[in-house]
Amino acid sequence: MAKPVNLNRYRKDKARAEKKARADQNAVSFGRNKAEKDASKKHLEKSRRDLDGHEIDK
């Protein structure tokens, strides 16, 4: 005799797998690698430093 299958668990596992596949695809499409993130962070910090350097002292 076959072992009974929990259909709720099967349904949730399937939904979880589909969500993970979609997340992986989005990471490939929209994600940035570490070098790009670091470059962006450095650019933002430099912009803030430059802006602070141009403040008018009263």
Side-chain angles (χ1 to χ4, degrees):
M1 188 172 206
K3 184 177 179 182
V5 177
N6 186 340
L7 295 178
N8 286 330
R9 178 174 288 161
Y10 175 77
R11 178 180 50 82
K12 288 180 181 181
D13 287 344
K14 182 180 176 188
R16 204 174 287 126
E18 289 172 355
K19 194 172 183 179
K20 172 121 173 66
R22 190 172 355 147
D24 290 342
Q25 182 61 37
N26 285 341
V28 169
S29 299
F30 302 108
R32 298 184 304 162
N33 63 23
K34 187 171 182 170
E36 292 169 337
K37 290 177 188 176
D38 288 344
S40 177
K41 187 176 179 182
K42 287 181 182 180
H43 177 70
L44 180 62
E45 289 172 0
K46 183 181 182 323
S47 297
R48 285 187 182 158
R49 280 195 316 266
D50 291 346
L51 184 61
D52 288 342
H54 287 97
E55 287 183 354
I56 299 174
D57 294 327
K58 290 185 178 184

